[in-house]
Amino acid sequence: MIFIRGIGKTTLHALSGIGRVFLFIANILANLLTRPFYFKELGHSLINIGYFSLPVVGLTTFFTGGALALQIFAGGARFNAEAVVPQIVAIGLVRELGPVLVGLMIAARVTSSIAAEIATMKVTEQLNALKTLSTNPIKYLVIPRVLAAIIVLPILVSIGNIIGIFGGYIVSTRALDFNWISYLQSTVSFLELSDITSSLIKASAFGGIASLMGCYFGIHSGQGARGVGEATRSSVEAAAIFILVANFVLTGALF
Amino acid sequence: MIVLEGVKKSFGKKKILTGVNLKINEGSSLVIIGRSGTGKSVLIKCILALENYDEGTIHINKIENSNKNNKTFYDQFGMLFQGGALFDSIPIWENISFRLLRGNQKISRSDAKQLASEKLKLVGLNSDIIDLYPSELSGGMQKRVALARAIAGDPKVIFFDEPTTGLDPIMANVINRLIREIVVEMGVTAITITHDINSTRIIADDVAMLDSGKVQWKGEINHLDNSGNKMVDQFINGLATGPISNNY
Ligand SMILES: Nc1ncnc2c1ncn2[C@@H]1O[C@H](COP(=O)(O)OP(=O)(O)OP(=O)(O)O)[C@@H](O)[C@H]1O
Ligand SMILES: [Mg+2]
């Protein structure tokens, strides 16, 4: 009985949480197209989320591409299909691992920092101070961050895809005796436009989710250092889970 | 004119305001006194629509303040938060001229910087700190920068939540006089929260004493010493025993 009640309570809690997230999105949309626009804040966010994430994205995708090549080679060898390494590395990265891994790294790096920053501002009354200075926190803090992530993630993921394929290429040509020209040729001729668009659409969606969760949990943070900690943790959890769910849904839709 | 009628506010089961009635005339200086934890800060946040209240009405120049669609609502206000609430990611001068760097009253960045250093002088700070960040200042300095931010842009109504706590007595005196000057010379309506009776005597035209969620006494400053109200007497004399409840 207590067990069932617990499940019910958790479910209700989650549902009302999702409802609040939708209200939050509605609030963002209502403020999106009306003046003032904070272009300078948008520029800051683009640099913070995009440029400064490059090292993390590059390292993640490079090593994943390399490991992927090794795994596919080992798996392929079981039915004499070692030659498919370039194709599978390319499609696996572009359609799936590139956007998902970059999305998760952004959740770790960007969602957490947005949540902690905005939550600290809330706890120290800087959000209230913004309001009393005639500045809407949604317009000034949330919209630039969410837009920046939606804009910049496709670029990050494209770069990540290229670096990941390069990682696979290095491993295949140095360790697995692939011919470098034919490796590149197979990669390029195999990939279709739909692979790339699906990668970019996912990237934008994951960027939106990551920054939205950071902002949402920051704005709704509880009091004190504990509130900030809780907001940060919840934001990363929610961003990671929603990114994986969205990945599943989008993969189905863009199949 | 700001008019509060029957304002009630609870946090969960904890009743903070239990029916506040208050009138603040334009161009006057009201000081709100009361023990720590009585809800003074909550009260002014209700006036500024930063906190929702449960019951009652608050009108500012006959317009209900809960009408949040009014985009220019905050243009008329300045607010010094008890904790300063400076934006820690931008330098001092941008903090002070924050409102003037964007929005309706926008001025150029060089003018804004100029204005920031003028306001800094008013609060007794040297203008060579304008490029520093808030975290590089002492607590009292931060408070004064926050005060400079609250008065920049010349709002018509300014709220000061404990403007002199954390300041040395000399600086406290400077700030008290500054607030008084703003009221007298610029016709600003000032609402100041303080525990300091000395500050009260300098700043106030009127004094309101908040206790047990209500305004227990309100009167002119020259009636403070013969208010005939036992709570006020206890408070201004700092007596340990008296009618003021001890549950804060
Ligand atoms: N966000 C909040 N959540 C729950 N309780 C709160 C919140 N804000 C204030 N309170 C409670 O409301 C009461 C009044 O707080 P308030 O900050 O208004 O006191 P105050 O009169 O300004 O005191 P002080 O002079 O110490 O600043 C306190 O008991 C406090 O615990
Ligand atoms: Mg207070």
Side-chain angles (χ1 to χ4, degrees), chain A residues 48-254:
Chain A
N48 264 334
I49 301 175
Y51 184 70
F52 290 116
S53 297
L54 281 173
V56 169
V57 166
L59 288 170
T60 311
T61 49
F62 180 83
F63 287 111
T64 306
L68 198 58
L70 290 173
Q71 297 282 27
I72 293 163
F73 187 84
R78 291 179 200 166
F79 40 94
N80 298 325
E82 300 96 323
V84 296
V85 169
Q87 288 90 335
I88 306 286
V89 166
I91 200 165
L93 271 167
V94 172
R95 289 194 77 114
E96 180 73 21
L97 287 174
V100 170
L101 285 178
V102 172
L104 291 178
M105 292 315 285
I106 292 297
R109 193 186 167 272
V110 173
T111 307
S112 57
S113 88
I114 292 177
E117 184 182 5
I118 297 183
T120 305
M121 290 184 77
K122 171 157 186 187
V123 168
T124 55
E125 299 222 69
Q126 293 178 52
L127 293 188
N128 277 342
L130 273 181
K131 289 191 203 164
T132 62
L133 293 164
S134 311
T135 304
N136 181 343
I138 297 285
K139 278 181 175 295
Y140 181 74
L141 296 172
V142 174
I143 289 178
R145 285 167 172 77
V146 173
L147 277 188
I150 291 176
I151 294 168
V152 91
L153 257 264
I155 301 171
L156 273 182
V157 166
S158 303
I159 295 170
N161 288 341
I162 292 168
I163 294 176
I165 289 173
F166 180 67
Y169 165 86
I170 293 285
V171 168
S172 303
T173 52
R174 296 288 147 84
L176 304 174
D177 290 335
F178 274 78
N179 176 283
W180 69 273
I181 297 179
S182 65
Y183 189 99
L184 289 182
Q185 271 171 349
S186 333
T187 302
V188 171
S189 63
F190 183 74
L191 279 180
E192 290 173 5
L193 187 63
S194 68
D195 300 329
I196 295 166
T197 51
S198 114
S199 190
L200 299 185
I201 291 171
K202 281 183 174 182
S204 261
F206 299 168
I209 291 171
S211 53
L212 187 73
M213 288 301 126
C215 294
Y216 173 82
F217 284 97
I219 296 254
H220 294 93
S221 154
Q223 294 299 315
R226 189 190 199 143
V228 177
E230 206 123 284
T232 309
R233 179 180 52 70
S234 312
S235 72
V236 176
E237 270 173 14
I241 289 170
F242 281 127
I243 283 173
L244 294 173
V245 172
N247 180 52
F248 178 70
V249 173
L250 284 174
T251 305
L254 300 167

Side-chain angles (χ1 to χ4, degrees), chain B residues 77-145:
Chain B
F77 296 117
M79 164 83 182
L80 165 65
F81 286 86
Q82 191 168 356
L86 291 174
F87 305 126
D88 42 32
S89 59
I90 56 178
I92 300 300
W93 75 270
E94 284 189 46
N95 262 283
I96 295 173
S97 358
F98 191 88
R99 197 203 300 260
L100 301 157
L101 284 167
R102 56 211 97 218
N104 317 339
Q105 310 173 36
K106 192 165 172 163
I107 59 174
S108 77
R109 286 177 78 78
S110 57
D111 287 350
K113 210 161 181 173
Q114 182 64 34
L115 180 127
S117 57
E118 282 163 20
K119 297 290 172 190
L120 274 181
K121 282 201 196 91
L122 283 182
V123 297
L125 285 168
N126 200 320
S127 60
D128 58 9
I129 62 162
I130 54 176
D131 288 318
L132 298 180
Y133 285 82
S135 58
E136 297 173 274
L137 303 184
S138 77
M141 289 164 91
Q142 291 183 21
K143 190 96 191 207
R144 285 182 282 154
V145 171

Side-chain angles (χ1 to χ4, degrees), chain B:
Chain B
M1 189 156 82
I2 301 174
V3 182
L4 287 79
E5 284 172 318
V7 173
K8 296 187 182 175
K9 169 79 187 169
S10 310
F11 287 106
K13 284 192 185 123
K14 202 164 157 196
K15 291 188 176 137
I16 307 296
L17 306 177
T18 56
V20 173
N21 299 308
L22 195 59
K23 247 183 218 168
I24 306 160
N25 288 322
E26 212 167 303
S28 74
S29 171
L30 175 76
V31 168
I32 302 175
I33 57 174
R35 297 202 49 190
S36 175
T38 44
K40 304 181 297 296
S41 299
V42 168
L43 180 66
I44 60 176
K45 280 185 218 160
C46 287
I47 299 176
L48 280 166
L50 297 173
E51 290 276 7
N52 298 318
Y53 39 99
D54 310 325
E55 279 178 54
T57 56
I58 300 177
H59 287 89
I60 292 149
N61 296 328
K62 306 218 164 80
I63 302 169
E64 174 122 37
N65 79 338
S66 53
N67 181 7
K68 291 235 178 83
N69 294 327
N70 184 353
K71 284 208 176 113
T72 56
F73 177 72
Y74 286 110
D75 289 355
Q76 57 191 320
F77 296 117
M79 164 83 182
L80 165 65
F81 286 86
Q82 191 168 356
L86 291 174
F87 305 126
D88 42 32
S89 59
I90 56 178
I92 300 300
W93 75 270
E94 284 189 46
N95 262 283
I96 295 173
S97 358
F98 191 88
R99 197 203 300 260
L100 301 157
L101 284 167
R102 56 211 97 218
N104 317 339
Q105 310 173 36
K106 192 165 172 163
I107 59 174
S108 77
R109 286 177 78 78
S110 57
D111 287 350
K113 210 161 181 173
Q114 182 64 34
L115 180 127
S117 57
E118 282 163 20
K119 297 290 172 190
L120 274 181
K121 282 201 196 91
L122 283 182
V123 297
L125 285 168
N126 200 320
S127 60
D128 58 9
I129 62 162
I130 54 176
D131 288 318
L132 298 180
Y133 285 82
S135 58
E136 297 173 274
L137 303 184
S138 77
M141 289 164 91
Q142 291 183 21
K143 190 96 191 207
R144 285 182 282 154
V145 171
L147 182 75
R149 182 177 70 181
I151 62 176
D154 304 327
K156 290 197 205 74
V157 183
I158 315 183
F159 296 82
F160 302 97
D161 196 344
E162 303 195 7
T164 58
T165 34
L167 300 184
D168 63 75
I170 300 166
M171 200 37 83
N173 203 12
V174 170
I175 297 303
N176 291 333
R177 284 174 201 290
L178 174 65
I179 293 174
R180 187 66 217 167
E181 202 176 288
I182 291 171
V183 174
V184 174
E185 283 175 16
M186 322 224 313
V188 161
T189 310
I191 295 99
T192 310
I193 295 174
T194 184
H195 295 127
D196 183 13
I197 294 303
N198 190 29
S199 297
T200 309
R201 294 190 201 281
I202 299 173
I203 297 171
D205 292 319
D206 301 302
V207 180
M209 161 123 194
L210 193 69
D211 197 77
S212 309
K214 288 195 172 69
V215 174
Q216 301 290 348
W217 181 80
K218 184 182 171 224
E220 289 173 19
I221 180 68
N222 45 17
H223 293 152
L224 188 66
D225 293 312
N226 47 13
S227 63
N229 182 302
K230 291 220 163 63
M231 282 189 178
V232 174
D233 288 343
Q234 185 193 346
F235 191 85
I236 62 176
N237 295 313
L239 302 176
T241 53
I244 297 178
S245 70
N246 259 324
N247 303 329
Y248 295 112

Side-chain angles (χ1 to χ4, degrees), chain A residues 9-90:
Chain A
K9 210 170 170 183
T10 317
T11 315
L12 280 180
H13 197 74
L15 285 179
S16 70
I18 289 172
R20 279 197 297 274
V21 171
F22 275 104
L23 284 179
F24 189 65
I25 295 174
N27 192 359
I28 292 175
L29 292 177
N31 281 296
L32 191 58
L33 298 175
T34 55
R35 288 164 63 81
F37 305 108
Y38 295 107
F39 292 111
K40 200 174 144 208
E41 273 64 37
L42 179 65
H44 276 303
S45 296
L46 283 171
I47 291 170
N48 264 334
I49 301 175
Y51 184 70
F52 290 116
S53 297
L54 281 173
V56 169
V57 166
L59 288 170
T60 311
T61 49
F62 180 83
F63 287 111
T64 306
L68 198 58
L70 290 173
Q71 297 282 27
I72 293 163
F73 187 84
R78 291 179 200 166
F79 40 94
N80 298 325
E82 300 96 323
V84 296
V85 169
Q87 288 90 335
I88 306 286
V89 166

